[in-house]
C-alpha cells in the first residue's frame, strides 16, 4: 500500500472513530432519556450494575450489550427471554449507527450522533407549541439571537415539517405585541390575492362590499407568516417587494399608503437561489426576504422526535388522558418514512384514536397496513451482521443501506457514514452489486 493511501485510510478511520465516540442512545419510549455510548462495552438490563439500566416488562437482568468492533458499535443479545430488536427484527448481534431503532422489552431507543452537535437535549416543549429534541433546538438557537431584530426569516422545508410552528416561535421570541398571522400563498385565488395581502376599499371591485385592511395591516406590530411565498404571481411579487422596502401598504382602490410595522417570516420548500434560477421568484425579492435561512430536516431524519410528537398528539387529542401504547407501535412509527412529515403523524394519531381510542391500549395490529409492514420492509434493507462479518462487510452493509436511503446519492451516503467519497468508491469497486453506482454518481441537489 502506498504511503498516500495509507494516510488517507488513517484519516478516514479517525473520522469513523470520532463518529463512534459521538454516538448516544436516546430512549424515546416509555420515557425520554439519553445515554452516551462511551467505553468499549456497555451492558443493558435490569441489573443494578448494568451500564445502561432499564426496568420494566420484557427486560432481562442481563439483556444485551453494546460493544465496539473497530470503528463501529455492535449490539449483542445476551440470551434474553424476549429478545433484542433492531429495525424491527430480532437479532443475535447487529451493527448500529445513527438512525438505528432498538427495542428491548417495552423500551424503544434511537441511536443518535452527538459529534460536533449541541449539548444533550431531550424531547421537550422548546417554545410555546413547538416540541422537539436536539435537531429542533439547534434550529431554534440562531432564531433566538435574531428574533428581536427586524431581520426577515426564511424557513425551508418539505410540506408538513412544522414551518408554521417555528414561525410562531419566532413571533413569541421577538416580544412583538401585535398578532401572529399565517397565510398560505399557494391557496390564494389569483384574482383575490392582492386584496387579501394589501386590503381594499369598499367598491374597489365587484363584490367588495366593505373595507378590508388585508393581512399586512392586520398584522401591524406583529408577525406575518407567508407560507409557500414563491407561489405568488410575478405581479404580486413586485408589489410585495415594494411593501417590504417601503414598509407602507396601499390597498386596491386607495389613493394613499399606510405605514406598517410587520416582521415577515416566509417559507418555501426549496432554497431561494433554486427558485430564482428557475424563474419562479424575483431575485430582488429573494434578496429582501432571505435574511436568515434555516433548513428544517424531514421527520424521517430526526427519528428520535417521532415518539415524543406522537405522545404529545395523543395528549392533545384526548384532553391529557391518552391510552396506553404498545412499544411495537412506537417502533413501527420510528421506522416509517413519513413522506408527509409531522402533519402525517398527527393525522395518523387522530385516525388511531377515532377508530381504536375506546380500547385500553393501542397495539401494532391497530396500525394501517403500510405501517405494520414497515418493520419487514426496513429489516430487509437494514444492515445485519453475523459473527464472521469484518469491518469491510460492516461498511458494505452500511453503504447499501445509506445508498438506498439517499436515492443512490454517493455524496449523501458518504456524509451519513462519516467517510470520504474516495472511501465509498473503493467499497463500490470491491462489490459487484454496487459497482455500477460509481458510473452514475447521483449527486443532484448539491
Amino acid at each position: 500500500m502506498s504511503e498516500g493511501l495509507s494516510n488517507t485510510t488513517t484519516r478516514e478511520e479517525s473520522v469513523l472513530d470520532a463518529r463512534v465516540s459521538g454516538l448516544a442512545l436516546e430512549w424515546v419510549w416509555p420515557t425520554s432519556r439519553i445515554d452516551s455510548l462511551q467505553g468499549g462495552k456497555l451492558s443493558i438490563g435490569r441489573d443494578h450494575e448494568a451500564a445502561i439500566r432499564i426496568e420494566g416488562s420484557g427486560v432481562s437482568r442481563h439483556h444485551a450489550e453494546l460493544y465496539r468492533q473497530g470503528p463501529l458499535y455492535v449490539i449483542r443479545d445476551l440470551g434474553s427471554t424476549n429478545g433484542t430488536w433492531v429495525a424491527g427484527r430480532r437479532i443475535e448481534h447487529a451493527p448500529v449507527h445513527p438512525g438505528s431503532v432498538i427495542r428491548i422489552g417495552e423500551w424503544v431507543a434511537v441511536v443518535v450522533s452527538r459529534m460536533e452537535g449541541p449539548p444533550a437535549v431531550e424531547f421537550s416543549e422548546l417554545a410555546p407549541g413547538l416540541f422537539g429534541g436536539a435537531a429542533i433546538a439547534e434550529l431554534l438557537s440562531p432564531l433566538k439571537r435574531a428574533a428581536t431584530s427586524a431581520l426577515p426569516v426564511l424557513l425551508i422545508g418539505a410540506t408538513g415539517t412544522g414551518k408554521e410552528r417555528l414561525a410562531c416561535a419566532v413571533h413569541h421570541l421577538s416580544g412583538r405585541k401585535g398578532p401572529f398571522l399565517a397565510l398560505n400563498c399557494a391557496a390564494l385565488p389569483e384574482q383575490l390575492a392582492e386584496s387579501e395581502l394589501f386590503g381594499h376599499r369598499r367598491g374597489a371591485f365587484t363584490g367588495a362590499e366593505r373595507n378590508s385592511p388585508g393581512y399586512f395591516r392586520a398584522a401591524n406590530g406583529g408577525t406575518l407568516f407567508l407560507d409557500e411565498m414563491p407561489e405568488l404571481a410575478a405581479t404580486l411579487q413586485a408589489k410585495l417587494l415594494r411593501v417590504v422596502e417601503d414598509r407602507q401598504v396601499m390597498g386596491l382602490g386607495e389613493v394613499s399608503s399606510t405605514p406598517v410595522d410587520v416582521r415577515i417570516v416566509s417559507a418555501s420548500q426549496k432554497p431561494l437561489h433554486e427558485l430564482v434560477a428557475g424563474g419562479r421568484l424575483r431575485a430582488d425579492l429573494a434578496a429582501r426576504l432571505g435574511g436568515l435561512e434555516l433548513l428544517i430536516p424531514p421527520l424521517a431524519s430526526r427519528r428520535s422526535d417521532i415518539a415524543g410528537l406522537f405522545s404529545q398528539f395523543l395528549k392533545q387529542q384526548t384532553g391529557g388522558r391518552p391510552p396506553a401504547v404498545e412499544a411495537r407501535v412506537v417502533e413501527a412509527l420510528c421506522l416509517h418514512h413519513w413522506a408527509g412529515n409531522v402533519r402525517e403523524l398527527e393525522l395518523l394519531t387522530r385516525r388511531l384514536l377515532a377508530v381504536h381510542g375506546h380500547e385500553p391500549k393501542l397495539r401494532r395490529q391497530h396500525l394501517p397496513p403500510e405501517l405494520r409492514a414497515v418493520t419487514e420492509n426496513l429489516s430487509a434493507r437494514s444492515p445485519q451482521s453475523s459473527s464472521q462479518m469484518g469491518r469491510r462487510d460492516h461498511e458494505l452493509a452500511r453503504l447499501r443501506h445509506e445508498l438506498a436511503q439517499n436515492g443512490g446519492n454517493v455524496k449523501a451516503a458518504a456524509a451519513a457514514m462519516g467517510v470520504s467519497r474516495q472511501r465509498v468508491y473503493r467499497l463500490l469497486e470491491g462489490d459487484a452489486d454496487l459497482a455500477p453506482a460509481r458510473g452514475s454518481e447521483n449527486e443532484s441537489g448539491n
Side-chain angles (χ1 to χ4, degrees):
M1 179 182 291
S2 67
E3 182 179 352
L5 182 58
S6 176
N7 289 340
T8 300
T9 302
T10 300
R11 286 194 299 271
E12 290 166 359
E13 288 177 345
S14 65
V15 170
L16 281 168
D17 284 341
R19 188 176 181 85
V20 168
S21 65
L23 292 182
L25 202 59
E26 184 166 351
W27 298 98
V28 298
W29 197 266
T31 187
S32 179
R33 190 176 102 194
I34 298 175
D35 289 308
S36 296
L37 303 188
Q38 297 178 346
K41 186 176 291 187
L42 300 169
S43 57
I44 305 174
R46 290 188 292 107
D47 190 80
H48 288 280
E49 296 184 0
I52 300 176
R53 188 183 175 203
I54 54 176
E55 296 182 330
S57 175
V59 181
S60 300
R61 284 188 60 206
H62 303 283
H63 198 110
E65 66 179 5
L66 281 158
Y67 62 93
R68 288 195 60 169
Q69 184 170 314
L72 301 168
Y73 258 107
V74 174
I75 189 167
R76 181 167 72 95
D77 186 77
L78 298 177
S80 65
T81 303
N82 295 289
T84 300
W85 302 74
V86 176
R89 180 176 176 178
R90 187 168 183 166
I91 56 92
E92 293 183 4
H93 37 81
V96 297
H97 50 78
S100 291
V101 177
I102 299 171
R103 177 167 60 86
I104 294 177
E106 289 297 305
W107 289 76
V108 179
V110 178
V111 179
V112 295
S113 176
R114 305 281 322 155
M115 186 175 68
E116 299 179 357
V121 176
E122 295 181 1
F123 185 92
S124 62
E125 188 174 18
L126 302 171
L130 179 66
F131 293 84
I136 300 302
E138 189 173 5
L139 278 178
L140 208 56
S141 180
L143 285 177
K144 288 179 179 178
R145 295 192 293 270
T148 55
S149 72
L151 186 69
V153 174
L154 172 68
L155 303 174
I156 304 169
T159 181
T161 48
K163 297 187 287 291
E164 185 171 339
R165 286 186 174 92
L166 267 171
C168 193
V170 173
H171 174 69
H172 171 76
L173 294 167
S174 72
R176 298 178 71 89
K177 303 302 182 184
F180 170 82
L181 298 180
L183 177 63
N184 186 346
C185 298
L188 280 176
E190 188 172 348
Q191 63 273 23
L192 296 177
E194 183 175 355
S195 170
E196 289 289 310
L197 279 168
F198 311 123
H200 64 261
R201 284 188 64 184
R202 178 183 177 185
F205 54 86
T206 302
E209 298 179 353
R210 65 184 119 186
N211 294 340
S212 172
Y215 271 85
F216 266 91
R217 279 182 283 204
N220 191 40
T223 302
L224 178 58
F225 174 54
L226 297 177
D227 196 11
E228 302 292 353
M229 176 270 302
E231 297 300 319
L232 291 173
T235 53
L236 274 178
Q237 290 184 23
K239 293 179 180 180
L240 176 59
L241 174 64
R242 177 59 61 89
V243 172
V244 172
E245 288 179 335
D246 298 344
R247 293 186 172 274
Q248 300 205 32
V249 171
M250 182 184 294
L252 290 172
E254 297 177 348
V255 295
S256 60
S257 57
T258 304
V260 289
D261 173 23
V262 176
R263 170 69 170 280
I264 297 178
V265 179
S266 52
S268 169
Q269 294 193 39
K270 294 183 178 180
L272 296 191
H273 69 271
E274 289 186 20
L275 297 167
V276 171
R280 293 181 55 196
L281 185 66
R282 293 175 59 107
D284 45 8
L285 181 59
R288 285 290 186 178
L289 295 181
L292 175 61
E293 297 188 17
L294 294 174
L295 180 63
I296 306 175
L299 184 58
S301 71
R302 45 188 176 101
R303 287 180 174 170
S304 57
D305 282 359
I306 293 172
L309 288 169
F310 177 60
S311 177
Q312 186 60 34
F313 293 146
L314 284 176
K315 292 175 184 176
Q316 290 173 355
Q317 295 294 325
T318 60
R321 300 168 64 183
V325 179
E326 188 179 61
R328 293 196 302 167
V329 170
V330 177
E331 176 189 44
L333 296 180
C334 290
L335 290 169
H336 186 52
H337 180 62
W338 299 111
N341 294 291
V342 179
R343 186 177 297 138
E344 182 186 354
L345 176 60
E346 184 174 12
L347 184 61
L348 173 72
T349 308
R350 290 166 55 193
R351 172 181 171 178
L352 286 173
L353 289 173
V355 180
H356 303 288
H358 64 285
E359 301 188 33
K361 192 171 192 176
L362 295 178
R363 301 184 181 278
R364 184 175 176 272
Q365 58 264 34
H366 297 154
L367 294 172
E370 63 271 19
L371 268 85
R372 290 201 304 270
V374 72
T375 51
E376 299 171 6
N377 294 337
L378 279 180
S379 64
R381 285 159 39 193
S382 298
Q384 301 294 328
S385 71
S386 68
S387 56
Q388 289 80 28
M389 288 184 73
R391 174 187 168 183
R392 184 179 180 81
D393 295 314
H394 279 303
E395 288 187 282
L396 278 172
R398 176 77 191 283
L399 178 56
R400 293 189 189 98
H401 176 70
E402 295 299 344
L403 285 172
Q405 290 289 89
N406 291 281
N409 188 312
V410 172
K411 182 178 181 181
M417 293 177 66
V419 301
S420 68
R421 275 182 284 179
Q422 288 71 26
R423 177 62 182 166
V424 169
Y425 293 144
R426 285 198 290 276
L427 289 169
L428 291 174
E429 289 170 348
D431 188 271
D433 294 331
L434 295 177
R438 179 167 190 174
S440 56
E441 301 173 21
N442 179 10
E443 302 212 359
S444 61
N446 295 344

